[in-house]
Coordinates of all heavy atoms in Angstrom, one line a residue:
P622 N 0.8 -1.2 0.0 CA 0.0 0.0 0.0 C 0.9 1.3 0.0 O 2.0 1.3 0.5 CB -0.8 -0.1 1.3 CG -0.2 -1.2 2.1 CD 0.7 -2.0 1.2
A623 N 0.3 2.3 -0.6 CA 1.0 3.6 -0.6 C 1.1 4.2 0.8 O 0.2 4.0 1.6 CB 0.3 4.5 -1.6
L624 N 2.1 5.0 1.0 CA 2.3 5.7 2.3 C 1.7 7.1 2.1 O 1.8 7.7 1.1 CB 3.7 5.7 2.7 CG 4.3 4.3 3.0 CD1 5.8 4.5 3.4 CD2 3.6 3.6 4.2
T625 N 1.3 7.7 3.2 CA 0.8 9.0 3.3 C 1.7 9.8 4.2 O 2.2 9.3 5.2 CB -0.6 9.0 3.9 OG1 -1.5 8.2 3.1 CG2 -1.2 10.4 4.0
R626 N 1.9 11.1 3.8 CA 2.8 11.9 4.6 C 1.9 12.8 5.5 O 1.1 13.6 5.0 CB 3.7 12.8 3.7 CG 4.8 13.6 4.5 CD 5.7 14.3 3.5 NE 6.4 13.4 2.7 CZ 7.6 12.7 3.0 NH1 8.1 12.9 4.1 NH2 8.2 12.0 2.1
I627 N 2.1 12.7 6.8 CA 1.4 13.5 7.8 C 2.5 14.2 8.7 O 3.3 13.5 9.3 CB 0.5 12.7 8.7 CG1 -0.6 12.1 7.8 CG2 -0.2 13.6 9.7 CD1 -1.5 11.1 8.5
G628 N 2.5 15.5 8.6 CA 3.5 16.2 9.5 C 4.9 15.9 9.1 O 5.8 15.9 10.0
G629 N 5.2 15.6 7.9 CA 6.5 15.3 7.4 C 6.9 13.8 7.7 O 8.0 13.4 7.4
V630 N 6.0 13.0 8.2 CA 6.3 11.6 8.5 C 5.5 10.7 7.6 O 4.3 10.9 7.4 CB 6.0 11.3 10.0 CG1 6.3 9.9 10.3 CG2 6.8 12.2 10.9
L631 N 6.1 9.7 7.0 CA 5.3 8.7 6.2 C 4.6 7.8 7.1 O 5.2 7.2 8.1 CB 6.3 8.0 5.3 CG 6.9 8.8 4.2 CD1 8.0 8.0 3.4 CD2 5.8 9.3 3.2
V632 N 3.3 7.6 6.9 CA 2.5 6.7 7.7 C 1.7 5.8 6.7 O 1.5 6.2 5.5 CB 1.6 7.4 8.6 CG1 2.4 8.2 9.6 CG2 0.6 8.3 7.9
T633 N 1.2 4.7 7.2 CA 0.4 3.8 6.3 C -1.0 4.4 6.0 O -1.4 4.4 4.9 CB 0.1 2.4 7.0 OG1 -0.4 2.6 8.3 CG2 1.4 1.7 7.1
S634 N -1.6 5.1 7.0 CA -2.9 5.8 6.8 C -3.1 6.7 8.0 O -2.7 6.5 9.1 CB -4.1 4.8 6.6 OG -4.4 4.2 7.8
A635 N -3.9 7.7 7.7 CA -4.3 8.6 8.8 C -5.1 7.9 9.9 O -4.9 8.1 11.1 CB -5.1 9.8 8.3
E636 N -6.0 7.0 9.5 CA -6.8 6.3 10.4 C -6.0 5.4 11.3 O -6.2 5.3 12.5 CB -7.9 5.4 9.7 CG -8.9 6.2 8.9 CD -8.5 6.8 7.6 OE1 -7.4 6.4 7.1 OE2 -9.2 7.6 7.0
R637 N -5.0 4.7 10.7 CA -4.1 3.8 11.5 C -3.3 4.6 12.5 O -3.1 4.2 13.6 CB -3.2 3.0 10.6 CG -2.1 2.2 11.3 CD -2.8 1.1 12.2 NE -1.8 0.4 13.0 CZ -1.3 -0.8 12.7 NH1 -1.6 -1.5 11.7 NH2 -0.4 -1.3 13.5
T638 N -2.8 5.7 12.0 CA -2.0 6.6 12.9 C -2.8 7.1 14.1 O -2.4 7.1 15.2 CB -1.3 7.7 12.1 OG1 -0.5 7.1 11.0 CG2 -0.5 8.6 12.9
L639 N -4.0 7.6 13.8 CA -4.8 8.1 14.8 C -5.2 7.0 15.8 O -5.3 7.2 17.0 CB -6.1 8.8 14.3 CG -7.0 9.5 15.3 CD1 -6.3 10.5 16.2 CD2 -8.2 10.2 14.6
A640 N -5.5 5.8 15.3 CA -5.8 4.7 16.1 C -4.7 4.4 17.1 O -4.8 4.2 18.3 CB -6.2 3.5 15.3
D641 N -3.5 4.4 16.5 CA -2.3 4.1 17.3 C -2.1 5.2 18.4 O -1.8 4.9 19.6 CB -1.0 4.0 16.5 CG -1.0 2.7 15.6 OD1 -1.8 1.8 15.9 OD2 -0.2 2.6 14.7
L642 N -2.2 6.4 18.0 CA -2.1 7.5 19.0 C -3.1 7.4 20.1 O -2.8 7.6 21.3 CB -2.3 8.9 18.3 CG -1.1 9.3 17.4 CD1 -1.5 10.6 16.7 CD2 0.1 9.6 18.3
S643 N -4.3 7.0 19.8 CA -5.4 6.9 20.7 C -5.3 5.7 21.7 O -5.9 5.7 22.7 CB -6.8 6.8 20.0 OG -7.0 7.9 19.2
R644 N -4.5 4.7 21.3 CA -4.4 3.5 22.1 C -3.3 3.7 23.2 O -3.2 2.9 24.1 CB -4.1 2.3 21.2 CG -5.2 1.9 20.4 CD -5.0 0.6 19.6 NE -3.8 0.5 18.9 CZ -2.8 -0.4 19.2 NH1 -2.9 -1.2 20.2 NH2 -1.7 -0.4 18.4
I645 N -2.6 4.7 23.1 CA -1.5 5.0 24.1 C -2.0 5.9 25.2 O -2.5 7.0 24.9 CB -0.3 5.6 23.4 CG1 0.3 4.6 22.4 CG2 0.8 5.9 24.5 CD1 1.3 5.2 21.5
S646 N -1.9 5.4 26.4 CA -2.4 6.2 27.6 C -1.4 7.1 28.1 O -0.6 6.9 29.0 CB -2.8 5.2 28.7 OG -3.3 5.9 29.8
D647 N -1.3 8.3 27.4 CA -0.3 9.3 27.7 C -0.9 10.6 27.2 O -1.5 10.7 26.1 CB 1.0 9.0 27.0 CG 2.1 10.0 27.2 OD1 2.1 11.1 26.5 OD2 2.9 9.8 28.1
E648 N -0.7 11.7 28.0 CA -1.3 13.0 27.7 C -0.8 13.5 26.4 O -1.5 14.1 25.6 CB -1.1 13.9 28.9 CG -1.8 15.3 28.6 CD -1.7 16.2 29.8 OE1 -1.4 15.7 31.0 OE2 -1.8 17.4 29.6
D649 N 0.5 13.4 26.2 CA 1.1 13.9 24.9 C 0.5 13.2 23.7 O 0.2 13.9 22.7 CB 2.6 13.7 24.9 CG 3.3 14.6 25.9 OD1 2.8 15.7 26.3 OD2 4.5 14.3 26.3
Y650 N 0.3 11.9 23.8 CA -0.3 11.2 22.7 C -1.8 11.6 22.5 O -2.2 11.8 21.3 CB -0.2 9.7 22.9 CG 1.2 9.2 22.6 CD1 2.2 9.2 23.6 CD2 1.5 8.7 21.4 CE1 3.4 8.8 23.4 CE2 2.8 8.2 21.1 CZ 3.8 8.2 22.1 OH 5.0 7.8 21.9
A651 N -2.5 11.9 23.6 CA -3.9 12.3 23.5 C -3.9 13.7 22.8 O -4.8 13.9 22.0 CB -4.5 12.3 24.9
V652 N -3.0 14.6 23.2 CA -3.0 15.9 22.6 C -2.7 15.8 21.1 O -3.4 16.4 20.3 CB -2.0 16.8 23.3 CG1 -1.7 18.1 22.5 CG2 -2.4 17.1 24.7
A653 N -1.8 14.9 20.7 CA -1.5 14.7 19.3 C -2.8 14.1 18.6 O -3.1 14.5 17.4 CB -0.3 13.7 19.1
A654 N -3.5 13.2 19.2 CA -4.7 12.7 18.6 C -5.7 13.8 18.4 O -6.4 13.9 17.4 CB -5.3 11.6 19.5
W655 N -5.9 14.7 19.4 CA -6.9 15.8 19.3 C -6.5 16.7 18.1 O -7.3 17.1 17.4 CB -6.9 16.6 20.6 CG -7.7 15.9 21.7 CD1 -7.3 14.9 22.5 CD2 -9.1 16.2 22.1 NE1 -8.3 14.6 23.4 CE2 -9.4 15.3 23.1 CE3 -10.0 17.1 21.6 CZ2 -10.6 15.3 23.7 CZ3 -11.3 17.1 22.2 CH2 -11.6 16.2 23.3
M656 N -5.2 17.0 18.1 CA -4.7 17.9 17.0 C -4.9 17.3 15.6 O -5.3 18.0 14.7 CB -3.2 18.2 17.2 CG -3.0 19.1 18.4 SD -1.2 19.3 18.8 CE -0.7 20.2 17.4
M657 N -4.7 16.0 15.5 CA -4.8 15.3 14.2 C -6.3 15.3 13.9 O -6.6 15.5 12.7 CB -4.3 13.9 14.4 CG -4.1 13.2 13.1 SD -3.2 11.7 13.3 CE -3.3 11.0 11.6
A658 N -7.2 15.0 14.8 CA -8.6 15.0 14.5 C -9.1 16.4 14.2 O -10.0 16.5 13.3 CB -9.4 14.4 15.7
D659 N -8.6 17.4 14.8 CA -9.0 18.8 14.5 C -8.6 19.2 13.0 O -9.3 19.9 12.4 CB -8.3 19.8 15.4 CG -9.0 19.9 16.8 OD1 -10.1 19.3 16.9 OD2 -8.4 20.4 17.7
A660 N -7.5 18.6 12.6 CA -7.0 19.0 11.2 C -7.7 18.3 10.1 O -7.7 18.7 8.9 CB -5.5 18.6 11.1
D661 N -8.5 17.2 10.4 CA -9.2 16.5 9.4 C -10.6 16.1 9.9 O -10.8 15.1 10.5 CB -8.4 15.2 9.0 CG -9.0 14.4 7.9 OD1 -10.2 14.7 7.5 OD2 -8.4 13.4 7.5
P662 N -11.6 16.9 9.6 CA -13.0 16.6 10.0 C -13.4 15.2 9.5 O -13.2 14.9 8.3 CB -13.8 17.7 9.4 CG -12.9 18.8 9.2 CD -11.5 18.2 8.8
G663 N -14.0 14.4 10.3 CA -14.4 13.1 9.9 C -13.4 12.0 10.2 O -13.7 10.8 10.1
L664 N -12.1 12.4 10.4 CA -11.1 11.4 10.7 C -11.4 10.6 11.9 O -11.2 9.3 11.9 CB -9.7 12.1 10.8 CG -8.6 11.1 11.1 CD1 -8.4 10.1 10.1 CD2 -7.3 11.9 11.3
A665 N -11.8 11.2 13.0 CA -12.1 10.4 14.2 C -13.2 9.4 13.9 O -13.1 8.2 14.3 CB -12.5 11.3 15.3
A666 N -14.3 9.7 13.2 CA -15.3 8.8 12.9 C -14.8 7.7 12.0 O -15.2 6.5 12.2 CB -16.5 9.5 12.3
R667 N -14.0 8.0 11.0 CA -13.4 7.0 10.1 C -12.5 6.1 10.9 O -12.5 4.9 10.6 CB -12.7 7.6 9.0 CG -13.5 8.4 8.0 CD -12.8 8.8 6.7 NE -11.5 9.4 6.9 CZ -11.2 10.7 7.0 NH1 -12.3 11.5 7.1 NH2 -10.0 11.1 7.1
T668 N -11.8 6.6 11.9 CA -10.9 5.8 12.7 C -11.7 4.8 13.6 O -11.3 3.7 13.8 CB -10.0 6.7 13.5 OG1 -9.3 7.5 12.6 CG2 -8.9 5.9 14.3
V669 N -12.8 5.3 14.1 CA -13.7 4.4 14.9 C -14.1 3.2 14.0 O -14.0 2.0 14.4 CB -15.0 5.1 15.4 CG1 -16.0 4.1 15.9 CG2 -14.6 6.1 16.5
S670 N -14.5 3.5 12.8 CA -14.9 2.4 11.9 C -13.7 1.5 11.6 O -13.8 0.3 11.5 CB -15.4 3.0 10.6 OG -16.6 3.7 10.8
W671 N -12.5 2.1 11.4 CA -11.3 1.3 11.1 C -11.0 0.4 12.3 O -10.7 -0.8 12.1 CB -10.1 2.3 10.9 CG -8.9 1.6 10.5 CD1 -8.5 1.4 9.2 CD2 -7.9 1.0 11.3 NE1 -7.3 0.7 9.2 CE2 -6.9 0.5 10.5 CE3 -7.7 1.0 12.7 CZ2 -5.7 -0.1 11.0 CZ3 -6.6 0.3 13.2 CH2 -5.6 -0.2 12.4
L672 N -11.1 0.9 13.5 CA -10.8 0.1 14.7 C -11.8 -1.0 14.9 O -11.5 -2.2 15.2 CB -10.7 0.9 16.0 CG -9.4 1.4 16.5 CD1 -9.5 2.3 17.7 CD2 -8.4 0.2 16.7
E673 N -13.1 -0.7 14.7 CA -14.1 -1.7 14.8 C -14.0 -2.8 13.8 O -14.4 -4.0 14.1 CB -15.5 -1.0 14.7 CG -15.8 -0.2 15.9 CD -17.2 0.6 15.8 OE1 -17.6 0.8 14.7 OE2 -17.7 0.9 16.9
A674 N -13.4 -2.5 12.7 CA -13.2 -3.6 11.6 C -12.0 -4.5 11.9 O -11.9 -5.5 11.2 CB -13.1 -2.9 10.3
H675 N -11.2 -4.1 12.8 CA -10.0 -4.9 13.1 C -10.2 -5.7 14.4 O -11.1 -5.4 15.2 CB -8.8 -4.0 13.2 CG -8.4 -3.5 11.9 ND1 -9.0 -2.5 11.2 CD2 -7.3 -3.9 11.1 CE1 -8.5 -2.3 10.1 NE2 -7.4 -3.1 10.0
G676 N -9.5 -6.8 14.5 CA -9.6 -7.7 15.7 C -9.2 -7.0 17.0 O -9.0 -5.8 17.1
A677 N -8.9 -7.9 17.9 CA -8.4 -7.5 19.2 C -7.1 -6.8 19.2 O -6.2 -7.2 18.5 CB -8.3 -8.7 20.2
L678 N -7.1 -5.6 19.8 CA -5.8 -4.8 19.9 C -5.7 -4.3 21.3 O -6.7 -4.0 22.0 CB -5.9 -3.6 19.0 CG -5.9 -3.9 17.5 CD1 -6.2 -2.6 16.7 CD2 -4.5 -4.4 17.0
P679 N -4.5 -4.2 21.8 CA -4.3 -3.7 23.2 C -4.9 -2.3 23.3 O -4.7 -1.5 22.3 CB -2.8 -3.6 23.3 CG -2.2 -4.6 22.3 CD -3.2 -4.6 21.2
H680 N -5.6 -2.0 24.3 CA -6.1 -0.7 24.6 C -7.2 -0.2 23.6 O -7.4 1.0 23.5 CB -5.0 0.3 24.8 CG -4.0 -0.1 25.7 ND1 -4.1 -0.2 27.1 CD2 -2.7 -0.5 25.5 CE1 -3.0 -0.7 27.6 NE2 -2.1 -0.9 26.7
K681 N -7.8 -1.1 22.9 CA -8.8 -0.8 21.9 C -10.0 -0.1 22.5 O -10.5 0.9 21.9 CB -9.2 -2.0 21.1 CG -10.2 -1.8 20.0 CD -10.5 -3.1 19.2 CE -11.5 -2.9 18.2 NZ -11.7 -4.1 17.4
R682 N -10.5 -0.6 23.6 CA -11.7 0.0 24.2 C -11.5 1.4 24.6 O -12.3 2.3 24.4 CB -12.1 -0.8 25.5 CG -12.7 -2.2 25.1 CD -13.2 -2.9 26.4 NE -13.6 -4.2 26.0 CZ -13.4 -5.3 26.8 NH1 -12.9 -5.1 28.0 NH2 -13.8 -6.5 26.4
S683 N -10.3 1.7 25.3 CA -10.1 3.1 25.7 C -9.9 4.0 24.5 O -10.3 5.2 24.5 CB -8.9 3.2 26.6 OG -7.7 2.7 26.0
A684 N -9.3 3.5 23.4 CA -9.1 4.2 22.2 C -10.4 4.6 21.6 O -10.7 5.7 21.2 CB -8.2 3.5 21.2
L685 N -11.4 3.6 21.6 CA -12.7 3.9 21.0 C -13.4 5.0 21.8 O -14.1 5.8 21.3 CB -13.5 2.6 20.9 CG -13.1 1.7 19.8 CD1 -13.8 0.3 20.0 CD2 -13.4 2.3 18.5
V686 N -13.3 5.0 23.2 CA -13.9 6.0 24.0 C -13.4 7.4 23.6 O -14.1 8.3 23.3 CB -13.6 5.8 25.5 CG1 -14.0 7.0 26.3 CG2 -14.3 4.5 25.9
L687 N -12.0 7.5 23.4 CA -11.4 8.8 23.0 C -11.9 9.2 21.6 O -12.3 10.3 21.4 CB -9.9 8.7 23.1 CG -9.2 9.9 22.5 CD1 -9.5 11.2 23.3 CD2 -7.7 9.7 22.5
L688 N -11.8 8.3 20.7 CA -12.2 8.6 19.3 C -13.6 9.0 19.2 O -14.0 9.9 18.4 CB -11.9 7.4 18.4 CG -10.4 7.1 18.2 CD1 -10.1 5.7 17.7 CD2 -9.7 8.2 17.4
R689 N -14.5 8.3 19.9 CA -15.9 8.7 19.8 C -16.2 10.1 20.4 O -17.0 10.8 19.9 CB -16.8 7.6 20.5 CG -16.9 6.3 19.8 CD -17.8 5.3 20.4 NE -17.8 4.1 19.6 CZ -17.5 2.9 20.0 NH1 -17.1 2.7 21.2 NH2 -17.6 1.9 19.2
A690 N -15.4 10.4 21.5 CA -15.5 11.7 22.0 C -15.0 12.8 21.0 O -15.6 13.8 20.8 CB -14.7 11.9 23.3
L691 N -14.0 12.5 20.3 CA -13.5 13.4 19.3 C -14.4 13.5 18.1 O -14.7 14.6 17.6 CB -12.1 12.8 18.7 CG -10.9 12.9 19.6 CD1 -9.7 12.2 19.0 CD2 -10.6 14.4 19.9
A692 N -15.1 12.4 17.7 CA -16.0 12.5 16.6 C -17.2 13.3 17.0 O -17.7 14.1 16.2 CB -16.4 11.0 16.2
V693 N -17.8 13.1 18.2 CA -18.9 13.9 18.6 C -18.6 15.3 18.7 O -19.4 16.2 18.4 CB -19.5 13.3 19.9 CG1 -20.5 14.2 20.5 CG2 -20.0 11.9 19.7
R694 N -17.4 15.6 19.3 CA -17.0 17.0 19.5 C -16.9 17.7 18.1 O -17.3 18.8 18.0 CB -15.6 17.0 20.2 CG -15.1 18.4 20.5 CD -13.8 18.3 21.2 NE -12.7 17.8 20.3 CZ -11.9 18.6 19.7 NH1 -12.0 19.9 19.8 NH2 -11.0 18.2 18.9
K695 N -16.4 17.0 17.1 CA -16.2 17.7 15.8 C -17.6 17.9 15.2 O -17.8 19.0 14.6 CB -15.4 16.8 14.9 CG -14.0 16.6 15.2 CD -13.3 17.9 15.3 CE -13.1 18.6 14.0 NZ -12.5 19.9 14.1
V696 N -18.6 17.0 15.4 CA -19.9 17.2 14.8 C -20.6 18.3 15.6 O -21.2 19.2 15.0 CB -20.7 15.9 14.9 CG1 -22.2 16.2 14.6 CG2 -20.2 14.9 14.0
A697 N -20.5 18.3 16.9 CA -21.1 19.4 17.7 C -20.5 20.7 17.5 O -21.2 21.8 17.6 CB -21.0 19.0 19.2
G698 N -19.2 20.8 17.1 CA -18.6 22.1 16.9 C -18.8 22.7 15.5 O -18.3 23.8 15.3
Q699 N -19.4 21.9 14.6 CA -19.6 22.5 13.3 C -20.6 23.6 13.3 O -21.6 23.6 14.1 CB -20.1 21.4 12.3 CG -19.0 20.3 12.1 CD -19.5 19.2 11.2 OE1 -20.7 19.1 10.9 NE2 -18.6 18.4 10.8
D700 N -20.4 24.6 12.5 CA -21.3 25.7 12.4 C -22.6 25.3 11.7 O -22.6 24.5 10.8 CB -20.7 26.8 11.5 CG -19.5 27.5 12.1 OD1 -19.4 27.4 13.4 OD2 -18.6 27.9 11.4
D701 N -23.7 25.8 12.3 CA -25.0 25.6 11.7 C -25.1 26.4 10.4 O -24.7 27.6 10.4 CB -26.1 26.0 12.6 CG -26.2 25.0 13.8 OD1 -25.9 23.9 13.6 OD2 -26.6 25.5 14.9
V702 N -25.7 25.8 9.4 CA -26.0 26.6 8.2 C -27.4 27.0 8.1 O -28.3 26.1 8.3 CB -25.6 25.7 6.9 CG1 -25.9 26.4 5.7 CG2 -24.2 25.2 7.0
T703 N -27.7 28.2 7.9 CA -29.0 28.7 7.8 C -29.3 29.1 6.4 O -28.4 29.6 5.7 CB -29.3 29.9 8.8 OG1 -28.4 31.0 8.4 CG2 -29.1 29.5 10.2
R704 N -30.6 29.0 6.0 CA -30.9 29.4 4.7 C -32.0 30.4 4.7 O -32.8 30.5 5.5 CB -31.4 28.1 3.9 CG -30.2 27.2 3.7 CD -30.7 25.9 3.0 NE -29.7 24.9 3.2 CZ -28.9 24.5 2.2 NH1 -29.1 25.0 1.0 NH2 -28.0 23.6 2.4

């Protein structure tokens, strides 16, 4: 598979990278996950789907909690469009 460049670093995919960041119980990694989700609307929701489609992984449950919070926050923070 082709690699993607995020922040000057080659990664397999944005979803895999965000999933990995979210599975590490560390404040610096959580901040990086928030920043990454902020930079790409919909990424947190896509990453939830990515994680759910994969088997057992260490710290998967806690990662899903964080990712779902990020996904909801992004949806709630979107501007309302009036017509």
Side-chain angles (χ1 to χ4, degrees):
L624 297 176
T625 302
R626 190 173 299 274
I627 298 175
V630 177
L631 290 173
V632 299
T633 54
S634 73
E636 293 80 7
R637 171 64 188 258
T638 301
L639 183 56
D641 288 346
L642 288 171
S643 299
R644 291 187 311 115
I645 299 169
S646 180
D647 179 274
E648 187 175 336
D649 291 336
Y650 285 84
V652 169
W655 283 80
M656 291 173 64
M657 195 171 172
D659 282 347
D661 182 352
L664 176 59
R667 292 192 313 271
T668 303
V669 167
S670 297
W671 186 93
L672 262 179
E673 288 176 338
H675 287 75
L678 292 169
H680 311 288
K681 180 176 178 176
R682 287 185 190 145
S683 59
L685 286 169
V686 169
L687 173 62
L688 290 166
R689 287 183 178 123
L691 289 172
V693 170
R694 185 179 70 93
K695 292 305 292 179
V696 169
Q699 291 178 351
D700 295 332
D701 291 329
V702 177
T703 57
R704 297 178 193 250

